C-alpha cells in the first residue's frame, strides 16, 4: 500500500510491480490505507481507499476543507487484488483508513469493521455488501476514526486520531481510545496515558488480550516534544506505563505473531527499534535510518528478516536484528 499512488502488487517476488487498484474510482485511488484478507477464501479481500493521503497527520486538514475534499470507501476483490468493485452500501463517502475482518464470523457472511475518517465506525455483517454506522458512545462530533484493533477475546479498540497540530496543552481535537465488548454496538472511552493526546497505533498480545502496546505521537512544546513513545497496559487499557521514549513520534508498534515477546516500533525520528523481552529493553535496528518511518512487518518467508514501510522512502528489507 502506498500513499499518493495506491496499492501495488507483485507476482514475481518483488522484482516488478503493477497497480492493484483497477476498478476503484479515480476519486478514491490516491491512497490505499489498509487491506484485509479472508483467511478461508482464496483471493477474497477488502481495501480501505481514500483520495486524501498522509493521514492521520493534521496537515491534511489544517485549511478547514477536509470534509469537502474527503472521498473514499471500501472496495472488495475476489481475485487477490487484480480487480476491484465497490463494497460501500450505506456508507457516507469520506477517507477510509482501515478495514478489519472478524475471523470468528461465518464464511460468506463475514463481519467487517471500517474506519471512516471524520465520520466514525461502520460495521457490516454480510461480507461488506451493506454497512451501518456504529458510533454509540463516541462523544466527538467528527470522530477521526483511524484504526480498529481486535483482541483475541473479541474486544474491539478504536483509535481516534488527534485533530490539532499537537501544540503542548492544546486540548481541543485531542485523540482518544475507545473500547467495545459487544461488536461495536456500544463504545466507551478509555483514559489515555498522562500527557498523551496523540494515540497512533495499538498492538495486542495474542496470548493475553489485556496486554496492550500503545504508540503515541508527541505534543510539541518549547524546549522539545513530550507525550510520545510507547506505553504498556496490562489491564485492557485501564492504566498505562511508559516503556519507550527514545523516539517521541512513534507511528506504530508491531508484535511478531510467532514470538510475541519480540516487538518492533517505527516512526518519524529516523530510526526503528526492536525488543525481545516484551518491551523491557529496546535496541535500535542498525542499517535503517530513513526519517519518516511507517511500520515494521515480519517477512513471512524468512523469520530473520523484516520489512519497514515508510512515507516517501519506499520499502526497506533487511535483518530483523539490524546489520
Amino acid at each position: 500500500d502506498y500513499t499518493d499512488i495506491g496499492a501495488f502488487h507483485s507476482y514475481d517476488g518483488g522484482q516488478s510491480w503493477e497497480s492493484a487498484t483497477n476498478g476503484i474510482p479515480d476519486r478514491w485511488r490516491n491512497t490505499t490505507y489498509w487491506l484485509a484478507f479472508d483467511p478461508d477464501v482464496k483471493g477474497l479481500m477488502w481495501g480501505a481507499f481514500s483520495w486524501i493521503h498522509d493521514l492521520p497527520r493534521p496537515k491534511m486538514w489544517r485549511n478547514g476543507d477536509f470534509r469537502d475534499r474527503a472521498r473514499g470507501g471500501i472496495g472488495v476483490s475476489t481475485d487477490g487484488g487484480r480487480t476491484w468493485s465497490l463494497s460501500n452500501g450505506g456508507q457516507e463517502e469520506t477517507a477510509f483508513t482501515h478495514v478489519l475482518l472478524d475471523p470468528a464470523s461465518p464464511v460468506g457472511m463475514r463481519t467487517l469493521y471500517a474506519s471512516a475518517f471524520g465520520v466514525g465506525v461502520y460495521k457490516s455483517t454480510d461480507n461488506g455488501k451493506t454497512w451501518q454506522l456504529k458510533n454509540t458512545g463516541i462523544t466527538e462530533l467528527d470522530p477521526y476514526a483511524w484504526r480498529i484493533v481486535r483482541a483475541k477475546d473479541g474486544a474491539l479498540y478504536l483509535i481516534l486520531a488527534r485533530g490539532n497540530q499537537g501544540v503542548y496543552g492544546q486540548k481541543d481535537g485531542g485523540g482518544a481510545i475507545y473500547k467495545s465488548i459487544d461488536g461495536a454496538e456500544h463504545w466507551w472511552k478509555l483514559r489515555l496515558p498522562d500527557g498523551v493526546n496523540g494515540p497512533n497505533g495499538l498492538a495486542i498480545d495474542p496470548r493475553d488480550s489485556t496486554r496492550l502496546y500503545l504508540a503515541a505521537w508527541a505534543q510539541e512544546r518549547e524546549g522539545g516534544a513530550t507525550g510520545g513513545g510507547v506505553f504498556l497496559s496490562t489491564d485492557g487499557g485501564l492504566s498505562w506505563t511508559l516503556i519507550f521514549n527514545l523516539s517521541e513520534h512513534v507511528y506504530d508498534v508491531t508484535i511478531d505473531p510467532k514470538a510475541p515477546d519480540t516487538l518492533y516500533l517505527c516512526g518519524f525520528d529516523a530510526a526503528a527499534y526492536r525488543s525481545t523481552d516484551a518491551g523491557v529493553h529496546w535496541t535500535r535496528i542498525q542499517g535503517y535510518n530513513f526519517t519518516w518511518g511507517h511500520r515494521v512487518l515480519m517477512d513471512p518467508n524468512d523469520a530473520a528478516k523484516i520489512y519497514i514501510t515508510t512515507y516517501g522512502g519506499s520499502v526497506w528489507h533487511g535483518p530483523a536484528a539490524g546489520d
Side-chain angles (χ1 to χ4, degrees):
D1 302 347
Y2 264 94
T3 187
D4 278 340
I5 57 176
F8 276 69
H9 51 195
S10 174
Y11 294 97
D12 55 12
Q15 297 301 307
S16 63
W17 295 85
E18 59 188 77
S19 175
T21 57
N22 294 321
I24 295 299
D26 287 345
R27 68 182 187 276
W28 291 12
R29 289 181 67 176
N30 183 283
T31 298
T32 308
Y33 278 100
W34 206 269
L35 298 173
F37 298 84
D38 192 309
D40 299 307
V41 182
K42 184 177 181 179
L44 180 58
M45 57 193 291
W46 293 264
F49 298 92
S50 168
W51 175 251
I52 295 180
H53 64 276
D54 285 0
L55 295 173
R57 304 280 69 80
K59 69 186 181 75
M60 301 313 298
W61 63 89
R62 62 166 59 123
N63 294 326
D65 61 348
F66 175 81
R67 294 299 293 128
D68 295 332
R69 297 184 296 113
R71 301 187 295 273
I74 300 298
V76 62
S77 174
T78 59
D79 54 10
R82 292 181 184 272
T83 60
W84 293 86
S85 58
L86 302 192
S87 179
N88 65 331
Q91 293 178 350
E92 178 181 346
E93 191 172 26
T94 188
F96 277 74
T97 57
H98 197 213
V99 57
L100 174 73
L101 182 147
D102 182 350
S105 57
V107 174
M109 290 293 286
R110 292 295 197 188
T111 294
L112 299 158
Y113 303 94
S115 297
F117 209 81
V119 176
V121 177
Y122 282 98
K123 178 180 180 179
S124 172
T125 56
D126 58 6
N127 251 38
K129 295 181 180 65
T130 60
W131 299 82
Q132 291 183 320
L133 192 62
K134 298 292 183 179
N135 281 1
T136 300
I138 298 175
T139 58
E140 286 73 8
L141 295 179
D142 300 302
Y144 293 122
W146 169 240
R147 290 281 181 265
I148 308 169
V149 185
R150 182 183 183 274
K152 191 175 182 179
D153 64 3
L156 298 174
Y157 293 85
L158 168 67
I159 293 179
L160 299 188
R162 183 171 65 199
N164 58 50
Q165 298 300 314
V167 177
Y168 182 75
Q170 183 175 340
K171 298 183 181 300
D172 292 341
I177 299 179
Y178 283 86
K179 183 176 182 179
S180 174
I181 58 174
D182 59 3
E185 296 301 319
H186 302 85
W187 296 95
W188 78 84
K189 186 180 288 188
L190 299 177
R191 184 182 67 83
L192 285 169
D194 291 340
V196 173
N197 77 349
N200 216 63
L202 187 72
I204 305 176
D205 193 316
R207 303 162 301 183
D208 180 357
S209 293
T210 66
R211 187 177 181 88
L212 315 178
Y213 299 93
L214 175 68
W217 203 267
Q219 299 182 65
E220 307 303 326
R221 65 185 303 181
E222 188 174 342
T226 185
V230 177
F231 297 81
L232 169 67
S233 175
T234 58
D235 54 14
L238 299 179
S239 61
W240 301 93
T241 301
L242 178 67
I243 61 171
F244 177 88
N245 65 351
L246 296 176
S247 171
E248 289 280 358
H249 306 90
V250 181
Y251 187 90
D252 212 351
V253 181
T254 307
I255 299 175
D256 185 339
K258 296 180 180 178
D261 283 338
T262 298
L263 312 174
Y264 298 90
L265 65 85
C266 195
F268 273 30
D269 293 319
Y273 291 83
R274 180 177 188 245
S275 172
T276 57
D277 55 9
V280 177
H281 302 94
W282 295 86
T283 303
R284 183 171 178 176
I285 299 173
Q286 299 296 325
Y288 168 81
N289 59 1
F290 185 72
T291 300
W292 298 319
H294 196 217
R295 66 169 52 86
V296 178
L297 302 169
M298 271 53 65
D299 185 335
N301 298 312
D302 187 344
K305 292 186 177 181
I306 56 173
Y307 292 95
I308 303 178
T309 58
T310 71
Y311 277 111
S314 196
V315 178
W316 295 55
H317 184 237
D323 64 15

